[in-house]
Amino acid sequence: MFKVATGYFGISPFLYYELTYRELDLMMEGYVERRKSDTENFEVAIRYGVSNALNGTSHSIYGDEEKKTNEIDPMVKKQELDYLKNLFS
């Protein structure tokens, strides 16, 4: 448990000896849940990538919404810039 706590969790050896067994157990449960979630997300991404490669398509996991979030309306950007200029002048 010491190796996992100081390696994967990144806590200091001093802190390790101050934690209770229950606290360490909860940290381990959280770590396992996070790893499971990361693995599931990775599997979905791999499936989409393989499907796209085999079918010659380029489907996105997130759809078109991801592309729209990166677009900024020039008028809104100018208004925000003017607001910041007035705020700090």
Side-chain angles (χ1 to χ4, degrees):
M1 186 64 124
F2 179 83
K3 189 176 187 179
V4 172
T6 56
Y8 288 115
F9 302 151
I11 63 174
S12 69
F14 179 75
L15 179 60
Y16 170 80
Y17 289 110
E18 289 188 355
L19 295 173
T20 64
Y21 178 77
R22 181 66 181 142
E23 291 171 326
L24 289 168
D25 191 45
L26 288 172
M27 290 173 74
M28 180 60 88
E29 286 178 21
Y31 175 76
V32 169
E33 287 177 18
R34 191 178 103 219
R35 292 290 294 186
K36 183 178 177 183
S37 175
D38 289 348
T39 302
E40 289 172 354
N41 291 337
F42 184 70
E43 288 175 0
V44 168
I46 292 294
R47 288 176 194 263
Y48 270 99
V50 169
S51 174
N52 287 342
L54 292 176
N55 297 325
T57 58
S58 60
H59 296 292
S60 174
I61 295 173
Y62 304 105
D64 293 334
E65 293 300 318
E66 183 182 19
K67 294 176 185 174
K68 291 179 183 176
T69 58
N70 292 334
E71 296 174 5
I72 299 173
D73 182 25
M75 191 59 151
V76 172
K77 186 175 180 179
K78 183 177 180 345
Q79 290 173 348
E80 290 177 0
L81 183 61
D82 290 340
Y83 170 76
L84 291 173
K85 284 180 181 177
N86 290 333
L87 187 66
F88 292 105
S89 4

Coordinates of all heavy atoms in Angstrom, one line a residue:
M1 N 0.8 -1.2 0.0 CA 0.0 0.0 0.0 C 0.9 1.3 0.0 O 0.5 2.3 -0.6 CB -0.9 0.0 1.2 CG -1.9 1.1 1.2 SD -3.1 1.0 -0.1 CE -4.6 1.0 0.7
F2 N 2.0 1.2 0.7 CA 2.9 2.3 0.7 C 3.4 2.7 -0.7 O 3.4 3.9 -1.1 CB 4.1 2.0 1.6 CG 5.1 3.1 1.7 CD1 5.0 4.1 2.6 CD2 6.3 3.1 0.9 CE1 5.9 5.2 2.7 CE2 7.2 4.1 1.0 CZ 7.0 5.2 1.9
K3 N 3.7 1.7 -1.5 CA 4.2 2.0 -2.8 C 3.1 2.6 -3.7 O 3.4 3.6 -4.4 CB 4.6 0.6 -3.5 CG 5.3 0.7 -4.8 CD 5.8 -0.6 -5.2 CE 6.7 -0.6 -6.4 NZ 7.1 -1.9 -6.9
V4 N 1.9 2.2 -3.6 CA 0.8 2.8 -4.3 C 0.5 4.2 -3.9 O 0.4 5.1 -4.7 CB -0.5 1.9 -4.2 CG1 -1.7 2.6 -4.8 CG2 -0.3 0.6 -4.8
A5 N 0.5 4.4 -2.6 CA 0.2 5.7 -2.0 C 1.2 6.8 -2.4 O 0.9 7.9 -2.8 CB 0.1 5.7 -0.5
T6 N 2.5 6.4 -2.3 CA 3.6 7.4 -2.6 C 3.8 7.5 -4.1 O 4.3 8.5 -4.6 CB 4.9 7.0 -1.9 OG1 5.2 5.7 -2.2 CG2 4.7 7.1 -0.4
G7 N 3.5 6.4 -4.8 CA 3.8 6.4 -6.3 C 2.6 7.0 -7.1 O 2.7 8.1 -7.6
Y8 N 1.5 6.3 -7.1 CA 0.3 6.7 -7.9 C -0.4 7.9 -7.3 O -0.8 8.8 -8.0 CB -0.6 5.5 -8.0 CG -0.2 4.4 -8.9 CD1 0.1 3.2 -8.4 CD2 0.0 4.6 -10.3 CE1 0.5 2.1 -9.3 CE2 0.5 3.7 -11.1 CZ 0.7 2.4 -10.6 OH 1.2 1.4 -11.4
F9 N -0.5 7.9 -6.0 CA -1.2 9.1 -5.4 C -0.4 10.3 -5.2 O -0.9 11.4 -5.1 CB -1.8 8.7 -4.0 CG -2.8 7.5 -4.1 CD1 -2.9 6.7 -3.0 CD2 -3.5 7.2 -5.2 CE1 -3.8 5.6 -3.1 CE2 -4.4 6.1 -5.3 CZ -4.5 5.3 -4.2
G10 N 0.9 10.1 -5.2 CA 1.9 11.2 -5.1 C 1.9 11.8 -3.7 O 2.3 13.0 -3.6
I11 N 1.5 11.1 -2.6 CA 1.6 11.7 -1.3 C 3.0 11.4 -0.7 O 3.6 10.4 -1.1 CB 0.5 11.2 -0.4 CG1 0.6 9.7 -0.2 CG2 -0.9 11.5 -0.9 CD1 -0.4 9.1 0.8
S12 N 3.4 12.2 0.2 CA 4.7 12.0 0.8 C 4.7 10.9 1.8 O 3.6 10.5 2.4 CB 5.1 13.3 1.6 OG 4.3 13.5 2.7
P13 N 5.8 10.3 2.1 CA 5.9 9.2 3.0 C 5.4 9.6 4.4 O 4.8 8.9 5.2 CB 7.3 8.8 3.1 CG 7.8 9.2 1.7 CD 7.1 10.4 1.4
F14 N 5.7 10.9 4.8 CA 5.3 11.4 6.1 C 3.8 11.4 6.2 O 3.2 11.0 7.2 CB 5.9 12.8 6.3 CG 5.5 13.5 7.5 CD1 6.0 13.1 8.7 CD2 4.5 14.5 7.5 CE1 5.6 13.7 9.9 CE2 4.1 15.1 8.7 CZ 4.7 14.7 9.9
L15 N 3.1 11.9 5.1 CA 1.6 12.0 5.1 C 1.0 10.6 5.1 O 0.0 10.3 5.7 CB 1.1 12.8 3.9 CG -0.4 12.9 3.7 CD1 -1.0 13.6 5.0 CD2 -0.7 13.7 2.5
Y16 N 1.7 9.6 4.5 CA 1.2 8.3 4.4 C 1.0 7.7 5.8 O 0.0 7.1 6.1 CB 2.2 7.4 3.6 CG 1.9 5.9 3.7 CD1 0.9 5.4 2.9 CD2 2.6 5.1 4.6 CE1 0.6 4.0 3.0 CE2 2.3 3.7 4.7 CZ 1.3 3.2 3.9 OH 1.0 1.9 4.0
Y17 N 2.0 7.9 6.7 CA 1.9 7.4 8.0 C 0.9 8.1 8.9 O 0.5 7.6 10.0 CB 3.3 7.4 8.7 CG 4.2 6.3 8.1 CD1 5.3 6.7 7.3 CD2 3.9 5.0 8.2 CE1 6.1 5.8 6.6 CE2 4.7 4.0 7.6 CZ 5.8 4.4 6.8 OH 6.6 3.5 6.2
E18 N 0.4 9.3 8.5 CA -0.6 10.0 9.2 C -2.0 9.7 8.8 O -2.9 10.0 9.5 CB -0.4 11.5 9.1 CG 0.8 12.1 9.8 CD 0.9 13.6 9.8 OE1 0.1 14.2 9.1 OE2 1.8 14.1 10.4
L19 N -2.2 9.0 7.7 CA -3.5 8.6 7.2 C -4.0 7.4 7.9 O -3.2 6.5 8.2 CB -3.4 8.4 5.7 CG -3.1 9.6 4.8 CD1 -3.0 9.2 3.3 CD2 -4.3 10.7 4.9
T20 N -5.3 7.3 8.0 CA -5.9 6.0 8.5 C -6.0 5.0 7.4 O -6.0 5.4 6.2 CB -7.2 6.3 9.1 OG1 -8.1 6.7 8.1 CG2 -7.1 7.3 10.3
Y21 N -6.2 3.8 7.8 CA -6.4 2.8 6.7 C -7.7 3.1 5.9 O -7.7 2.9 4.7 CB -6.6 1.4 7.4 CG -6.9 0.3 6.4 CD1 -5.8 -0.2 5.6 CD2 -8.1 -0.2 6.2 CE1 -6.0 -1.2 4.6 CE2 -8.4 -1.1 5.2 CZ -7.3 -1.6 4.4 OH -7.6 -2.6 3.5
R22 N -8.7 3.6 6.5 CA -10.0 3.9 5.8 C -9.7 5.0 4.8 O -10.2 5.0 3.7 CB -11.0 4.4 6.8 CG -12.4 4.7 6.1 CD -13.0 3.5 5.5 NE -14.2 3.9 4.9 CZ -14.7 3.4 3.7 NH1 -14.0 2.4 3.1 NH2 -15.8 3.8 3.2
E23 N -8.9 6.0 5.1 CA -8.6 7.1 4.2 C -7.8 6.6 3.0 O -8.1 6.9 1.9 CB -7.8 8.2 4.9 CG -8.6 9.0 5.9 CD -7.7 9.9 6.7 OE1 -6.6 9.6 7.0 OE2 -8.2 11.0 7.1
L24 N -6.9 5.7 3.3 CA -6.1 5.1 2.2 C -7.0 4.2 1.3 O -6.9 4.2 0.1 CB -5.0 4.2 2.7 CG -3.8 5.0 3.3 CD1 -2.9 4.1 4.1 CD2 -3.1 5.8 2.3
D25 N -7.9 3.5 1.9 CA -8.9 2.7 1.2 C -9.8 3.5 0.3 O -10.0 3.1 -0.9 CB -9.7 1.8 2.2 CG -10.5 0.7 1.5 OD1 -9.9 0.0 0.6 OD2 -11.7 0.6 1.8
L26 N -10.2 4.6 0.8 CA -11.1 5.5 0.0 C -10.3 6.1 -1.2 O -10.8 6.3 -2.3 CB -11.7 6.6 0.8 CG -12.8 6.2 1.8 CD1 -13.1 7.4 2.7 CD2 -14.0 5.8 1.0
M27 N -9.0 6.4 -0.9 CA -8.2 6.9 -2.0 C -8.0 5.9 -3.1 O -8.1 6.2 -4.3 CB -6.8 7.3 -1.5 CG -6.8 8.6 -0.6 SD -5.2 8.9 0.2 CE -4.3 9.5 -1.2
M28 N -7.8 4.6 -2.7 CA -7.7 3.5 -3.6 C -9.0 3.3 -4.4 O -8.9 3.1 -5.6 CB -7.3 2.2 -2.9 CG -7.1 1.1 -3.8 SD -5.8 1.3 -5.1 CE -4.4 0.7 -4.2
E29 N -10.1 3.4 -3.8 CA -11.4 3.2 -4.5 C -11.6 4.3 -5.5 O -12.0 4.0 -6.6 CB -12.5 3.3 -3.5 CG -12.7 2.0 -2.6 CD -13.8 2.1 -1.7 OE1 -14.8 3.0 -1.9 OE2 -13.8 1.4 -0.7
G30 N -11.3 5.5 -5.2 CA -11.4 6.7 -6.1 C -10.4 6.5 -7.3 O -10.8 6.7 -8.4
Y31 N -9.2 6.0 -7.0 CA -8.2 5.8 -8.1 C -8.7 4.7 -9.0 O -8.6 4.9 -10.2 CB -6.9 5.4 -7.4 CG -5.9 5.0 -8.5 CD1 -5.2 6.0 -9.2 CD2 -5.5 3.7 -8.7 CE1 -4.3 5.7 -10.1 CE2 -4.6 3.4 -9.7 CZ -4.0 4.4 -10.4 OH -3.0 4.0 -11.3
V32 N -9.3 3.6 -8.5 CA -9.7 2.5 -9.3 C -10.9 3.0 -10.2 O -11.0 2.7 -11.4 CB -10.1 1.3 -8.4 CG1 -10.9 0.3 -9.2 CG2 -8.9 0.7 -7.8
E33 N -11.8 3.8 -9.6 CA -13.0 4.3 -10.4 C -12.5 5.2 -11.5 O -13.0 5.1 -12.6 CB -13.9 5.0 -9.4 CG -14.7 4.1 -8.5 CD -15.6 4.9 -7.6 OE1 -15.9 6.1 -7.8 OE2 -16.1 4.3 -6.6
R34 N -11.5 6.1 -11.2 CA -11.0 7.0 -12.2 C -10.4 6.2 -13.4 O -10.5 6.5 -14.5 CB -10.1 8.0 -11.6 CG -9.7 9.1 -12.6 CD -8.8 10.1 -12.0 NE -7.5 9.9 -12.6 CZ -6.4 9.9 -11.9 NH1 -6.4 10.3 -10.6 NH2 -5.3 9.7 -12.5
R35 N -9.5 5.2 -13.0 CA -8.9 4.4 -14.0 C -9.9 3.6 -14.9 O -9.7 3.5 -16.1 CB -7.9 3.4 -13.4 CG -6.7 4.0 -12.7 CD -5.8 4.6 -13.7 NE -5.2 3.5 -14.5 CZ -4.3 3.6 -15.4 NH1 -3.7 4.8 -15.6 NH2 -3.8 2.6 -16.0
K36 N -10.9 3.1 -14.2 CA -12.0 2.4 -15.0 C -12.7 3.4 -16.0 O -12.9 3.0 -17.1 CB -13.0 1.8 -14.0 CG -14.1 1.0 -14.7 CD -15.0 0.4 -13.7 CE -16.1 -0.3 -14.4 NZ -17.1 -0.9 -13.4
S37 N -13.0 4.6 -15.5 CA -13.6 5.5 -16.4 C -12.7 5.9 -17.5 O -13.1 6.0 -18.7 CB -14.0 6.8 -15.6 OG -14.5 7.8 -16.4
D38 N -11.4 6.2 -17.2 CA -10.5 6.5 -18.3 C -10.3 5.4 -19.3 O -10.3 5.7 -20.5 CB -9.1 6.8 -17.7 CG -9.1 8.1 -16.9 OD1 -10.0 8.9 -17.0 OD2 -8.1 8.3 -16.2
T39 N -10.3 4.2 -18.8 CA -10.2 3.0 -19.7 C -11.4 2.9 -20.6 O -11.3 2.7 -21.8 CB -10.0 1.7 -18.9 OG1 -8.9 1.8 -18.1 CG2 -9.9 0.5 -19.8
E40 N -12.6 3.1 -20.1 CA -13.9 3.1 -20.9 C -13.8 4.2 -21.9 O -14.2 3.9 -23.1 CB -15.1 3.2 -20.0 CG -15.3 2.0 -19.1 CD -16.4 2.2 -18.1 OE1 -16.9 3.3 -18.0 OE2 -16.7 1.2 -17.4
N41 N -13.4 5.4 -21.6 CA -13.4 6.5 -22.5 C -12.3 6.2 -23.6 O -12.6 6.5 -24.8 CB -13.0 7.8 -21.8 CG -14.1 8.3 -21.0 OD1 -15.3 7.9 -21.2 ND2 -13.8 9.1 -20.0
F42 N -11.2 5.6 -23.3 CA -10.2 5.2 -24.2 C -10.7 4.1 -25.2 O -10.5 4.2 -26.4 CB -9.0 4.7 -23.5 CG -7.8 4.3 -24.4 CD1 -7.1 5.3 -25.0 CD2 -7.4 3.0 -24.6 CE1 -6.0 5.1 -25.8 CE2 -6.4 2.7 -25.4 CZ -5.7 3.7 -26.0
E43 N -11.5 3.2 -24.7 CA -12.1 2.1 -25.5 C -13.0 2.7 -26.5 O -13.0 2.3 -27.7 CB -12.8 1.1 -24.7 CG -11.8 0.2 -23.9 CD -12.5 -0.8 -23.0 OE1 -13.8 -0.8 -22.9 OE2 -11.8 -1.5 -22.3
V44 N -13.9 3.7 -26.1 CA -14.8 4.3 -27.0 C -14.0 5.1 -28.1 O -14.4 5.0 -29.3 CB -15.7 5.3 -26.3 CG1 -16.5 6.2 -27.2 CG2 -16.7 4.5 -25.4
A45 N -13.0 5.8 -27.7 CA -12.2 6.5 -28.7 C -11.6 5.6 -29.7 O -11.5 5.9 -30.9 CB -11.2 7.4 -28.0
I46 N -11.0 4.5 -29.2 CA -10.4 3.5 -30.1 C -11.5 2.9 -31.1 O -11.2 2.8 -32.3 CB -9.8 2.4 -29.3 CG1 -8.6 2.9 -28.5 CG2 -9.4 1.2 -30.2 CD1 -7.4 3.3 -29.4
R47 N -12.6 2.6 -30.6 CA -13.7 2.0 -31.5 C -14.1 3.0 -32.6 O -14.2 2.7 -33.7 CB -14.9 1.7 -30.7 CG -14.7 0.5 -29.8 CD -15.9 0.2 -28.9 NE -15.6 -0.8 -27.9 CZ -15.9 -2.1 -28.0 NH1 -16.4 -2.6 -29.0 NH2 -15.6 -2.8 -27.0
Y48 N -14.2 4.3 -32.2 CA -14.5 5.3 -33.2 C -13.4 5.5 -34.2 O -13.6 5.6 -35.4 CB -14.8 6.7 -32.6 CG -16.2 6.9 -32.2 CD1 -16.7 6.7 -30.9 CD2 -17.1 7.3 -33.2 CE1 -18.0 6.9 -30.6 CE2 -18.5 7.5 -32.9 CZ -18.9 7.3 -31.6 OH -20.2 7.5 -31.3
G49 N -12.2 5.4 -33.7 CA -11.0 5.5 -34.6 C -10.9 4.4 -35.6 O -10.7 4.6 -36.8
V50 N -11.1 3.2 -35.1 CA -11.1 2.0 -36.0 C -12.2 2.0 -37.0 O -12.1 1.8 -38.1 CB -11.1 0.7 -35.1 CG1 -11.4 -0.5 -36.0 CG2 -9.8 0.6 -34.3
S51 N -13.4 2.4 -36.5 CA -14.6 2.5 -37.4 C -14.4 3.5 -38.5 O -14.7 3.3 -39.6 CB -15.8 2.8 -36.6 OG -16.9 3.1 -37.4
N52 N -13.8 4.7 -38.1 CA -13.6 5.7 -39.1 C -12.5 5.2 -40.1 O -12.6 5.5 -41.3 CB -13.0 7.0 -38.4 CG -14.1 7.7 -37.7 OD1 -15.3 7.5 -38.0 ND2 -13.8 8.6 -36.8
A53 N -11.5 4.5 -39.6 CA -10.4 4.0 -40.5 C -11.0 3.0 -41.5 O -10.6 3.0 -42.7 CB -9.3 3.5 -39.7
L54 N -11.8 2.1 -41.0 CA -12.3 1.0 -41.8 C -13.3 1.5 -42.8 O -13.4 1.0 -44.0 CB -12.9 -0.1 -41.0 CG -12.0 -0.9 -40.1 CD1 -12.7 -1.9 -39.2 CD2 -11.0 -1.7 -41.0
N55 N -14.1 2.5 -42.4 CA -15.2 3.0 -43.3 C -14.8 4.2 -44.1 O -15.6 4.7 -45.0 CB -16.5 3.3 -42.5 CG -17.0 2.1 -41.8 OD1 -17.0 1.0 -42.4 ND2 -17.5 2.2 -40.6
G56 N -13.6 4.7 -43.9 CA -13.2 5.9 -44.6 C -14.0 7.1 -44.3 O -14.1 8.0 -45.1
T57 N -14.5 7.2 -43.1 CA -15.3 8.4 -42.6 C -14.6 9.1 -41.5 O -13.5 8.6 -41.0 CB -16.7 7.9 -42.1 OG1 -16.5 7.0 -41.0 CG2 -17.5 7.3 -43.2
S58 N -15.1 10.2 -41.1 CA -14.5 11.0 -40.0 C -15.6 11.4 -39.0 O -15.8 12.6 -38.8 CB -13.7 12.2 -40.6 OG -14.6 13.0 -41.3
H59 N -16.2 10.5 -38.5 CA -17.2 10.8 -37.4 C -16.5 11.2 -36.2 O -15.5 10.7 -35.8 CB -18.1 9.6 -37.1 CG -18.9 9.1 -38.3 ND1 -20.0 9.8 -38.8 CD2 -18.8 8.0 -39.0 CE1 -20.5 9.2 -39.8 NE2 -19.8 8.0 -40.0
S60 N -17.2 12.2 -35.5 CA -16.6 12.7 -34.3 C -17.4 12.2 -33.1 O -18.6 12.0 -33.2 CB -16.7 14.2 -34.3 OG -16.3 14.8 -33.0
I61 N -16.7 11.9 -32.0 CA -17.4 11.4 -30.8 C -18.3 12.4 -30.3 O -19.4 12.1 -29.8 CB -16.3 11.0 -29.7 CG1 -15.5 9.9 -30.2 CG2 -17.0 10.7 -28.4 CD1 -14.3 9.6 -29.3
Y62 N -17.9 13.7 -30.3 CA -18.7 14.8 -29.8 C -19.7 15.5 -30.7 O -20.4 16.4 -30.4 CB -17.8 15.8 -29.1 CG -16.9 15.2 -28.1 CD1 -15.5 15.0 -28.4 CD2 -17.3 14.8 -26.9 CE1 -14.7 14.4 -27.5 CE2 -16.5 14.3 -25.9 CZ -15.2 14.1 -26.3 OH -14.3 13.5 -25.3
G63 N -19.7 15.0 -32.0 CA -20.5 15.7 -33.0 C -20.0 17.0 -33.4 O -18.8 17.3 -33.2
D64 N -20.9 17.9 -33.9 CA -20.5 19.2 -34.4 C -20.4 20.2 -33.3 O -19.9 21.3 -33.5 CB -21.4 19.7 -35.5 CG -21.3 18.8 -36.8 OD1 -20.3 18.2 -37.0 OD2 -22.3 18.7 -37.5
E65 N -20.9 19.9 -32.1 CA -20.9 20.9 -31.1 C -19.5 21.3 -30.6 O -19.3 22.5 -30.3 CB -21.7 20.3 -29.8 CG -23.2 20.1 -30.1 CD -23.9 21.4 -30.5 OE1 -23.6 22.4 -29.8 OE2 -24.7 21.3 -31.4
E66 N -18.6 20.4 -30.7 CA -17.2 20.8 -30.3 C -16.6 21.9 -31.2 O -16.0 22.8 -30.7 CB -16.4 19.5 -30.3 CG -14.9 19.8 -29.8 CD -14.1 18.6 -29.9 OE1 -14.4 17.6 -30.6 OE2 -13.0 18.6 -29.2
K67 N -16.9 21.8 -32.5 CA -16.4 22.8 -33.4 C -17.0 24.1 -33.1 O -16.3 25.1 -33.2 CB -16.6 22.3 -34.8 CG -15.9 21.1 -35.2 CD -16.3 20.6 -36.6 CE -15.6 19.3 -36.9 NZ -16.0 18.7 -38.2
K68 N -18.3 24.2 -32.8 CA -18.9 25.4 -32.6 C -18.5 26.1 -31.3 O -18.5 27.4 -31.2 CB -20.5 25.2 -32.5 CG -21.1 24.8 -33.8 CD -22.5 24.6 -33.7 CE -23.1 24.1 -35.0 NZ -24.5 23.8 -34.9
T69 N -18.0 25.4 -30.3 CA -17.6 26.0 -29.1 C -16.3 26.8 -29.3 O -16.0 27.7 -28.5 CB -17.4 25.0 -28.0 OG1 -16.4 24.0 -28.4 CG2 -18.7 24.3 -27.6
N70 N -15.5 26.5 -30.3 CA -14.2 27.1 -30.5 C -14.4 28.4 -31.3 O -13.5 29.2 -31.4 CB -13.2 26.2 -31.3 CG -12.8 25.1 -30.4 OD1 -12.8 25.2 -29.2 ND2 -12.4 24.0 -31.0
E71 N -15.6 28.6 -31.9 CA -15.8 29.8 -32.7 C -16.3 31.0 -31.8 O -17.1 30.8 -31.0 CB -16.9 29.5 -33.8 CG -16.5 28.5 -34.8 CD -17.7 28.1 -35.7 OE1 -18.7 28.7 -35.6 OE2 -17.5 27.2 -36.5
I72 N -15.7 32.1 -32.1 CA -16.0 33.3 -31.3 C -16.5 34.4 -32.2 O -15.9 34.7 -33.2 CB -14.7 33.8 -30.5 CG1 -14.2 32.8 -29.6 CG2 -15.1 35.1 -29.8 CD1 -12.9 33.1 -28.9
D73 N -17.7 34.9 -31.8 CA -18.3 36.0 -32.6 C -17.4 37.2 -32.4 O -17.1 37.7 -31.3 CB -19.7 36.3 -32.1 CG -20.4 37.3 -32.9 OD1 -20.1 37.5 -34.1 OD2 -21.3 37.9 -32.3
P74 N -17.0 37.8 -33.6 CA -16.1 39.0 -33.5 C -16.7 40.2 -32.7 O -16.0 40.9 -32.0 CB -15.9 39.4 -34.9 CG -16.2 38.2 -35.7 CD -17.2 37.4 -34.9
M75 N -18.0 40.4 -32.8 CA -18.7 41.5 -32.1 C -18.7 41.2 -30.6 O -18.4 42.2 -29.9 CB -20.1 41.6 -32.6 CG -20.8 42.8 -32.1 SD -19.8 44.2 -32.8 CE -21.1 45.4 -32.9
V76 N -18.9 40.0 -30.2 CA -18.8 39.7 -28.8 C -17.4 39.9 -28.2 O -17.2 40.4 -27.1 CB -19.3 38.2 -28.5 CG1 -19.1 37.8 -27.1 CG2 -20.8 38.1 -28.9
K77 N -16.5 39.5 -29.0 CA -15.0 39.6 -28.6 C -14.7 41.1 -28.5 O -14.0 41.5 -27.5 CB -14.2 39.0 -29.7 CG -12.7 38.9 -29.3 CD -11.9 38.1 -30.3 CE -10.5 38.1 -30.0 NZ -9.7 37.3 -31.0
K78 N -15.1 41.9 -29.4 CA -14.9 43.4 -29.3 C -15.5 44.0 -28.1 O -14.9 44.8 -27.4 CB -15.3 44.1 -30.6 CG -15.0 45.6 -30.6 CD -15.4 46.2 -31.8 CE -15.2 47.7 -31.9 NZ -14.8 48.4 -30.8
Q79 N -16.8 43.6 -27.8 CA -17.5 44.1 -26.6 C -16.8 43.7 -25.3 O -16.6 44.5 -24.4 CB -18.9 43.6 -26.6 CG -19.8 44.2 -27.6 CD -21.2 43.5 -27.7 OE1 -21.4 42.5 -27.1 NE2 -22.1 44.1 -28.5
E80 N -16.3 42.5 -25.2 CA -15.6 42.0 -24.0 C -14.3 42.7 -23.9 O -13.9 43.1 -22.8 CB -15.3 40.5 -24.1 CG -16.6 39.7 -23.9 CD -16.4 38.2 -24.1 OE1 -15.2 37.8 -24.3 OE2 -17.4 37.5 -24.0
L81 N -13.6 43.0 -25.0 CA -12.3 43.7 -25.0 C -12.5 45.2 -24.5 O -11.8 45.7 -23.7 CB -11.6 43.7 -26.3 CG -10.3 44.3 -26.4 CD1 -9.3 43.7 -25.5 CD2 -9.8 44.3 -27.9
D82 N -13.6 45.8 -25.0 CA -13.9 47.2 -24.6 C -14.2 47.2 -23.2 O -13.8 48.1 -22.4 CB -15.1 47.7 -25.5 CG -14.7 48.0 -26.9 OD1 -13.4 48.1 -27.2 OD2 -15.6 48.1 -27.8
Y83 N -15.0 46.2 -22.7 CA -15.3 46.2 -21.3 C -14.1 46.1 -20.4 O -13.9 46.8 -19.4 CB -16.3 45.0 -21.0 CG -16.5 44.7 -19.5 CD1 -17.3 45.5 -18.8 CD2 -15.8 43.7 -18.9 CE1 -17.5 45.3 -17.4 CE2 -16.0 43.4 -17.6 CZ -16.9 44.3 -16.8 OH -17.1 44.0 -15.5
L84 N -13.2 45.2 -20.8 CA -11.9 45.1 -20.0 C -11.1 46.3 -20.1 O -10.4 46.7 -19.1 CB -11.1 43.9 -20.5 CG -11.7 42.5 -20.2 CD1 -11.0 41.4 -20.9 CD2 -11.8 42.2 -18.7
K85 N -11.0 47.0 -21.2 CA -10.3 48.2 -21.3 C -10.8 49.3 -20.4 O -10.1 50.0 -19.7 CB -10.3 48.8 -22.8 CG -9.4 48.0 -23.7 CD -9.5 48.6 -25.1 CE -8.6 47.9 -26.1 NZ -8.7 48.4 -27.5
N86 N -12.2 49.4 -20.4 CA -12.8 50.4 -19.5 C -12.6 50.0 -18.0 O -12.4 50.9 -17.1 CB -14.3 50.5 -19.8 CG -14.6 51.2 -21.1 OD1 -13.8 52.0 -21.6 ND2 -15.7 50.8 -21.7
L87 N -12.6 48.7 -17.7 CA -12.4 48.3 -16.4 C -11.0 48.6 -15.8 O -10.9 49.0 -14.6 CB -12.7 46.8 -16.3 CG -12.7 46.1 -14.9 CD1 -13.9 46.6 -14.1 CD2 -12.8 44.6 -15.1
F88 N -10.0 48.5 -16.6 CA -8.6 48.6 -16.2 C -8.0 50.0 -16.6 O -6.8 50.2 -16.4 CB -7.8 47.5 -16.7 CG -8.1 46.2 -16.0 CD1 -8.8 45.2 -16.8 CD2 -7.7 45.9 -14.8 CE1 -9.2 44.0 -16.2 CE2 -8.1 44.7 -14.2 CZ -8.8 43.8 -14.9
S89 N -8.8 50.9 -17.2 CA -8.2 52.2 -17.5 C -8.5 53.2 -16.4 O -9.2 53.2 -15.6 CB -8.7 52.8 -18.8 OG -9.7 52.1 -19.5

